[in-house]
Amino acid sequence: MDTTARIRAARWADKNPVAALIADALHPTPLAAWLIPDPPRRRQVLTDVVAIWVEHAMFFGDIHLTDDLTAVTVGFHRYRPIPPPAQYRIRLTDAAAGHTGRFDLLDSLLTLKQPTEPHYHLAFLAVRPDNQNTGLATAMLTHHRSRLDRIDLPAWTVTPPAGQSLLGRHGYTPRPAITLPDGPTLLPMRRNAHHDSNAQAGPVPLSGSRRGSGC
């Protein structure tokens, strides 16, 4: 990885490229195959559904990305309950193209695990597939951790099991796993406020972590 790569806050114009980046990262995962069993439709459905939540994070959270659009984090500030995206049911039905039931089931299972206390929700950590294993995910999480410590909130995320080690090096600890019906296992993880960790860089698995109350 180019260690001089700059991480910045997303602008409104980044909304669609960020959604496409996250969809690219999710596309080869078992979660994506479970959500959209139809391979020809999978990438477009992922892009369209993720775009709803990327837009929502512009209003109720934050998005940080590298200048070259190779890695991104998307999160929500859950100081208090936040509303769903505008016209969510209509937009999800249109975007999911017949796969709404899988998205709804995932939402309901994750919502049961999501903390009720004020927290920061790391909804997505995504690295473009051809840029994985270069240290980008570690750089993004280091940046994410420094921001968390400034706002003094616990954090919560959900990851495939492959992401546990990376997140663990940044202060996250696992909670009871979720196994989707006839699908993959997901691991909720929590980070305490002001966790004093010294994460070590290392090989970086994809952590296409989904949010707990939307996509």
Side-chain angles (χ1 to χ4, degrees), residues 31 34-36 45 49 52-53 84-85 88-94 96 98-112 178 180-181 210-215:
L31 176 61
W34 182 84
L35 285 167
I36 308 112
V45 170
V49 174
I52 298 171
W53 292 99
Y88 179 59
R89 294 308 313 168
I90 295 172
R91 295 172 70 187
L92 177 63
T93 299
D94 288 345
H99 303 288
T100 309
R102 289 285 175 100
F103 284 94
D104 283 340
L105 178 56
L106 179 61
D107 282 347
S108 64
L109 292 173
L110 294 183
T111 298
L112 290 173
I178 301 167
L180 300 172
R210 270 183 54 96
R211 37 126 336 284
S213 60
C215 180

Side-chain angles (χ1 to χ4, degrees), residues 25 28 51 55 59 61 63 74 89 96 113 119 163 184 187 189 200 210:
E55 178 185 298
F59 298 104
I63 300 171
V74 177
R89 294 308 313 168
K113 300 289 186 178
H119 66 283
L187 192 63
M189 299 188 75
Q200 299 298 313
R210 270 183 54 96

Side-chain angles (χ1 to χ4, degrees), residues 26-105:
L26 282 172
H27 185 264
T29 67
L31 176 61
W34 182 84
L35 285 167
I36 308 112
D38 179 11
R41 294 286 299 150
R42 188 172 298 150
R43 190 182 302 274
Q44 188 61 55
V45 170
L46 287 171
T47 303
D48 292 346
V49 174
V50 168
I52 298 171
W53 292 99
V54 169
E55 178 185 298
H56 201 47
M58 295 280 188
F59 298 104
F60 293 98
D62 56 55
I63 300 171
H64 287 81
L65 67 159
T66 55
D67 262 344
D68 58 1
L69 284 171
T70 54
V72 66
T73 57
V74 177
F76 292 91
H77 305 147
R78 295 187 176 271
Y79 306 115
R80 59 187 64 84
I82 64 175
Q87 299 182 312
Y88 179 59
R89 294 308 313 168
I90 295 172
R91 295 172 70 187
L92 177 63
T93 299
D94 288 345
H99 303 288
T100 309
R102 289 285 175 100
F103 284 94
D104 283 340
L105 178 56

Side-chain angles (χ1 to χ4, degrees), residues 172-193:
Y172 284 86
T173 57
R175 295 294 185 262
I178 301 167
T179 300
L180 300 172
D182 300 316
T185 295
L186 300 175
L187 192 63
M189 299 188 75
R190 184 184 191 279
R191 181 184 187 271
N192 291 332

